[in-house]
Amino acid sequence: MSEPKAGLLRELHHGKLLVLPNAWDEQSAELVVHKGFPVVATSSAAVAAALGHEDGERAPWREMFAAVARIARVVPVPVTVDAEAGYGLEPDQLVAELLAAGAVGCNLEDTGHQAGGLVPAAAQADRLAGVRAAADAAGVPLVINARIDTFLPPSGFSGPERADEAIRRGRLYRAAGADCVYPIGVSSAADLGKVVAGVGGPVNGNTGPELDLGTLASLGVARVSFGPRFYRAGLAAMRGSLDELRIAAGMEEPGAGR
């Protein structure tokens, strides 16, 4: 079943905007499908938090892939995984773990979690090429979404150079076999439009004050994802309800009288 689902996921990058509300467990994934979305994407931050860990490859990779496998077992649609920077796994093992979990796509970011900062572009392109070769050898057209972190503060880039470097990396990553690139953290329509035009291939965007779904579509963005936004919204709703319940129960403020 992996090959047809991977093919479908790839095709969905070349039509109308592919909207991916990120899930973190079986119930949230089933809700995404129930509401008619054609793909389930995971959020590493949300999955890690639900498992009791911080984001940034601090959760054991086996626990992360086990969560993905539980999701893939309960939904009939393609599943794409936020695999962070790949957890230090060699390309062959990374692809094998993704496919064993039932995933047909993955995000791979160019932040170096051990050394800090960004991985050199050429080294990241080589890694992506290795992942593509491993997927080809497995006979599954795994959809690789190469995340580009130049717009994040730890990258060390600022101003116009963030978009320029994102374009340079995007072209390298596409040439290495990435199906889509993801310049995370772009807040300006002008910057995102520049990257979309400069890369010349599918780009993943995020919504924001300047970037609603209509604007993203008009810029030529191929897919939009939401990271841990829905997971955090659920916690915020629970927090508000607990505050109301505490007031109704006549409870003291936390820490009062200590």
Side-chain angles (χ1 to χ4, degrees):
M1 290 295 292
S2 293
E3 189 172 355
K5 286 182 177 179
L8 173 59
L9 177 57
R10 180 171 288 171
E11 289 173 11
L12 289 170
H13 286 71
H14 300 278
K16 66 179 183 179
L17 181 65
L18 175 60
V19 179
L20 300 171
N22 300 74
W24 57 92
D25 62 8
E26 300 97 302
Q27 193 168 25
S28 59
E30 287 179 316
L31 184 56
V32 167
V33 175
H34 177 69
K35 290 300 182 180
F37 294 92
V39 174
V40 169
T42 69
S43 158
S44 66
V47 173
L51 294 172
H53 302 281
E54 294 182 12
D55 193 23
E57 297 199 340
R58 292 179 176 86
W61 66 263
R62 287 184 175 84
E63 289 188 32
M64 298 294 280
F65 282 111
V68 171
R70 291 192 293 271
I71 289 171
R73 279 197 296 267
V74 300
V75 296
V77 301
V79 173
T80 182
V81 177
D82 181 352
E84 304 187 72
Y87 306 105
L89 302 177
E90 292 299 320
D92 288 353
Q93 185 181 5
L94 175 61
V95 169
E97 296 292 344
L98 286 166
L99 297 181
V104 294
C106 67
N107 286 11
L108 290 171
E109 63 199 44
D110 56 8
T111 288
H113 291 285
Q114 299 302 317
L118 298 188
V119 175
Q124 181 69 359
D126 286 345
R127 177 162 173 76
L128 293 169
V131 174
R132 170 57 62 216
D136 289 346
V140 178
L142 184 77
V143 176
I144 301 171
N145 189 32
R147 205 180 87 176
I148 301 170
D149 292 356
T150 59
F151 284 85
L152 300 183
S155 73
F157 292 99
S158 61
E161 65 182 357
R162 297 176 301 178
D164 292 339
E165 180 64 9
I167 291 168
R168 185 179 79 87
R169 286 175 176 257
R171 289 173 175 170
L172 282 172
Y173 299 168
R174 287 276 294 152
D179 298 281
C180 184
V181 299
Y182 179 14
I184 193 172
V186 181
S187 58
S188 130
D191 282 339
L192 186 55
K194 181 179 178 180
V195 174
V196 171
V199 170
V203 171
N204 190 138
N206 301 120
T207 57
E210 283 190 32
L211 297 168
D212 59 20
L213 292 181
T215 301
L216 291 172
S218 70
L219 291 172
V221 168
R223 66 188 255 181
V224 56
S225 51
F226 297 83
R229 197 175 306 182
F230 294 104
Y231 174 80
R232 290 172 178 168
L235 290 179
M238 183 177 180
R239 187 178 299 112
S241 295
L242 292 175
D243 285 340
E244 293 175 4
L245 181 61
R246 190 184 67 241
I247 293 169
M251 296 172 62
E252 293 183 345
E253 289 289 331
R258 294 180 183 175

